[in-house]
């Protein structure tokens, strides 16, 4: 799978890091924000909601007698795979019927060695295994549980050392950092919103980690929710835009779950006969150069969605390239920025838009950018030129989460902006 090319977003398609480092960075950003209050050592218990608000009862962990009630307009339940809030709301999950126990071993090499690939899957039916580079100075191995081994036996440090030995990883050249057994599953909640409560992250979806997409899907949920909630909270959009959070995201994540499960079925094959058939099939496929590179999935948002109707590109990822303006060169988001990005090739994208609609668009945080050889914004690597040419259009309107609202030519811009404005002013069920 070729994850190594640049993605549409202008960044690397994949990045390896150690998850606690990311969580530390997120926590310090939250703590630095004056609008965030972080409460450690409290557990969410019950949730109730009515026309006006949602109320959550929290209790001090280990001391049920210390209780408090917190009230808000909206609640995001990002409480993980075993989400108590999802359960309390009675939201059912759909299951892809994939299940496998794997031992995950994180270690730090004392003697560093080179590894071939970022992620390597060893499809050996005697012991399926995964090797991952997990950020600077760290490595991970994952080993599937075979039927003749119990979870308890698998989850022992001596088992980890034994299973790593064939790769030359021993206590002499590596330090064991942590080990745990996870049950890999493919699952998604059938509803992602109940009134004022939204599910996000593993509370909403679960997938085997073979594509490395679980946290990525959670980040997409966060982005899809945060732009909606911030527009509603600031009065720039009605609550109706919250309705499509689940419909957009469920379709998207299901495609990724299906792909991760399909990959899991290839990797987790324990039957030697079926494994050798698989190997013969894959070897034959590798003889065809066009099959050598498999692209990672790039699903489209589900509908209903906040996108223009009847547009072939709406709901797919937008484009970001390197640009230059007034001697400053960099990625578009750094040089120009903007929540809602309206970009036209060779023309002023707002040339045919009424002053009133223009003012509305700029008021929701929109930016309008003309990309041309003569400026004001220059396309340094022809990214935009090639992108528009491949899609037969010259204008794109992208959302704050980088998905395309709509595409077209200059004459389509008033229609695109007006349809977005209509979408934002539809009456919502809750206020
Ligand atoms: C072996 C493995 C490898 C993975 N590899 C990758 C990868 O390469 N790439 C990738 O993108 N993803 C990967 N993932 C997936 C990724 O780790 C998860 O998707 C991600 O951590 C989920 O984040 P979350 O915040 O939704 O849930 P969690 O990380 O589960 O966080 C939920 C939090 O809610 C808290 N909580 C729960 N209930 C309550 C309550 N009642 N009150 C208060 N707090 C509560 C919990 O304590 C926890 O801190 C992998 C997962 C595994 C298991």
């Amino acid at each position: 799978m070729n994850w190594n090319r640049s993605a549409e977003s202008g960044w690397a398609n994949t990045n390896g890091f150690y998850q606690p480092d990311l969580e530390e960075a997120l926590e310090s950003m939250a703590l630095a924000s004056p609008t965030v209050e972080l409460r450690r050592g409290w557990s969410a218990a019950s949730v109730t909601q009515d026309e006006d608000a949602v109320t959550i009862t929290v209790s001090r962990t280990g001391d049920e007698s210390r209780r408090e009630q917190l009230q808000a307009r909206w609640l995001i339940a990002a409480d993980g795979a075993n989400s108590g809030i999802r359960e309390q709301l009675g939201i059912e999950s759909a299951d892809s019927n994939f299940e496998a126990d794997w031992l995950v071993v994180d270690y730090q090499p004392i003697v560093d060695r080179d590894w071939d690939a970022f992620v390597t899957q060893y499809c050996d039916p005697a012991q399926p295994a995964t090797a991952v580079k997990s950020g600077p100075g760290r490595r991970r191995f994952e080993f599937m549980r075979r039927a003749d081994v119990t979870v308890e036996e698998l989850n022992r440090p001596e088992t980890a050392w034994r299973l790593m030995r064939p790769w030359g990883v021993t206590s002499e050249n590596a330090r064991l950092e942590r080990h745990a057994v996870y049950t890999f599953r493919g699952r998604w909640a059938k509803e992602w919103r109940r009134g004022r409560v939204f599910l996000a992250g593993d509370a909403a979806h679960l997938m085997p980690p073979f594509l490395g997409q679980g946290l990525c899907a959670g980040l997409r949920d966060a982005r899809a929710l945060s732009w909606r909630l911030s527009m509603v909270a600031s009065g720039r959009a009605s609550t109706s835009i919250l309705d499509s959070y689940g419909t957009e995201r469920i379709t998207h994540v299901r495609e990724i779950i299906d792909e991760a499960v399909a990959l899991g079925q290839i990797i987790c094959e324990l039957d030697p006969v079926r494994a050798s058939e698989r190997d013969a099939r894959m070897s034959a496929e590798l003889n065809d150069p066009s099959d050598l590179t498999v692209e990672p999935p790039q699903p489209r948002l589900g509908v209903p969605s906040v996108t223009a109707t009847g547009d072939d590109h709406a709901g797919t990822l937008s484009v970001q390239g390197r640009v230059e303006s007034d001697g400053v060169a960099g990625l578009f988001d750094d040089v120009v920025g903007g929540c809602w990005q309206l970009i036209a090739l060779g023309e002023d994208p707002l040339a045919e838009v009424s002053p009133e609609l223009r003012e509305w668009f700029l008021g929701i945080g929109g930016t309008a950018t003309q990309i041309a050889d003569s400026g004001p914004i220059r396309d340094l690597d022809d990214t935009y030129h090639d992108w528009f040419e491949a899609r037969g259009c010259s204008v794109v309107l992208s959302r704050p989460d980088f998905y395309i609202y709509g595409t077209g030519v200059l004459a389509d811009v008033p229609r695109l902006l007006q349809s977005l404005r209509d979408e934002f002013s539809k009456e919502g069920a809750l206020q």
Side-chain angles (χ1 to χ4, degrees):
M1 258 194 194
N2 181 16
W3 291 94
N4 294 329
R5 67 170 178 81
S6 293
E8 278 72 5
S9 61
W11 297 92
N13 230 335
T14 185
N15 288 288
F17 58 86
Y18 183 58
Q19 191 170 340
D21 290 344
L22 173 77
E23 289 174 356
E24 223 175 276
L26 288 175
E27 181 171 330
S28 48
M29 284 171 81
L31 286 170
S33 167
T35 56
V36 175
E37 187 192 331
L38 187 67
R39 292 201 183 194
R40 291 274 180 218
W42 290 83
S43 301
S46 57
V47 184
T48 54
Q49 55 178 319
D50 58 29
E51 277 289 292
D52 303 315
V54 48
T55 306
I56 184 152
T57 306
V58 296
S59 65
R60 192 86 191 128
T61 311
D63 180 4
E64 291 276 310
S65 64
R66 282 185 62 195
R67 289 184 159 243
E68 272 183 42
Q69 285 198 329
L70 307 171
Q71 210 172 56
R73 198 169 161 201
W74 313 104
L75 175 79
I76 301 171
D79 51 349
N82 299 319
S83 169
I85 295 187
R86 184 188 64 217
E87 199 169 303
Q88 221 186 97
L89 294 174
I91 295 179
E92 283 180 27
S93 292
D95 202 307
S96 61
N97 295 322
F98 176 88
E99 195 174 307
D101 296 329
W102 280 66
L103 170 70
V104 173
V105 189
D106 287 328
Y107 71 95
Q108 291 174 310
I110 303 169
V111 183
D112 213 354
R113 291 167 38 213
D114 211 23
W115 288 81
D116 301 350
F118 177 55
V119 179
T120 311
Q121 307 285 0
Y122 297 94
C123 303
D124 176 1
Q127 181 55 72
T130 307
V132 192
K133 287 185 182 175
S134 40
R138 286 203 162 80
R139 298 273 193 279
R140 167 175 285 185
F141 265 112
E142 299 173 14
F143 299 101
M144 186 179 172
R145 185 174 70 81
R146 298 173 353 180
D148 57 348
V149 179
T150 65
V151 171
E152 291 68 33
E153 282 162 356
L154 187 67
N155 199 12
R156 286 182 192 149
E158 52 273 27
T159 309
W161 287 120
R162 178 174 56 75
L163 290 170
M164 291 195 292
R165 200 172 305 134
W167 281 270
V169 179
T170 66
S171 55
E172 265 128 55
N173 59 28
R175 191 176 304 117
L176 198 65
E177 197 167 27
R178 75 182 259 285
H179 63 97
V181 173
Y182 291 89
T183 303
F184 296 166
R185 291 195 172 92
R187 247 186 213 172
W188 61 96
K190 291 182 180 170
E191 287 168 71
W192 287 26
R193 177 186 176 193
R194 188 63 76 72
R196 299 186 174 278
V197 184
F198 300 90
L199 301 183
D202 278 18
H205 45 73
L206 207 56
M207 65 188 81
F210 302 114
L211 276 178
Q213 280 289 306
L215 179 72
C216 298
L219 293 175
R220 292 188 190 107
D221 304 341
R223 198 75 183 115
L225 264 178
S226 62
W227 75 256
R228 284 176 161 85
L229 289 171
S230 84
M231 301 220 77
V232 168
S234 60
R236 288 173 293 169
S238 89
T239 58
S240 67
I241 63 164
L242 302 172
D243 297 344
S244 52
Y245 162 64
T247 50
E248 283 188 359
R249 292 287 311 125
I250 289 175
T251 306
H252 190 282
V253 82
R254 275 197 62 181
E255 212 171 308
I256 294 182
I257 293 172
D258 287 351
E259 185 98 5
V261 166
L263 206 53
Q265 278 155 347
I266 292 173
I267 296 162
C268 300
E269 183 57 75
L270 296 173
D271 181 281
V273 176
R274 283 202 300 265
S276 67
E277 283 166 7
R278 171 203 63 197
D279 295 350
R281 193 176 63 245
M282 288 179 90
S283 299
E285 280 171 4
L286 289 175
N287 289 329
D288 179 349
S290 66
D291 277 346
L292 268 179
T293 301
V294 178
E295 285 293 319
Q298 298 281 8
R300 194 178 184 139
L301 298 179
V303 285
S305 67
V306 179
T307 52
T309 46
D311 186 314
D312 284 349
H313 310 297
T316 60
L317 282 183
S318 189
V319 56
Q320 176 172 232
R322 286 191 326 118
V323 294
E324 189 261 322
S325 166
D326 286 336
V328 179
L331 285 173
F332 186 96
D333 282 349
D334 297 325
V335 175
V336 182
C339 288
W340 290 83
Q341 296 176 345
L342 180 63
I343 302 172
L345 202 59
E347 297 159 307
D348 168 11
L350 292 175
E352 300 195 6
V353 173
S354 70
E356 202 244 337
L357 196 53
R358 168 194 296 251
E359 198 180 318
W360 172 82
F361 179 61
L362 301 178
I364 61 162
T367 51
T369 306
Q370 173 179 350
I371 290 187
D373 291 344
S374 55
I377 308 292
R378 271 176 287 277
D379 187 6
L380 288 179
D381 308 314
D382 278 341
T383 310
Y384 292 90
H385 180 270
D386 296 347
W387 191 88
F388 281 120
E389 193 175 73
R391 286 158 186 78
C393 59
S394 59
V395 167
V396 62
L397 175 59
S398 315
R399 316 188 322 176
D401 56 5
F402 204 70
Y403 287 93
I404 295 174
Y405 177 79
T407 53
V409 295
L410 199 62
D412 295 313
V413 176
R415 174 184 55 79
L416 282 175
L417 294 187
Q418 190 56 51
S419 68
L420 180 63
R421 191 179 186 178
D422 293 346
E423 184 82 44
F424 281 6
S425 49
K426 266 189 221 157
E427 189 139 345
L430 290 168
Q431 289 314 308

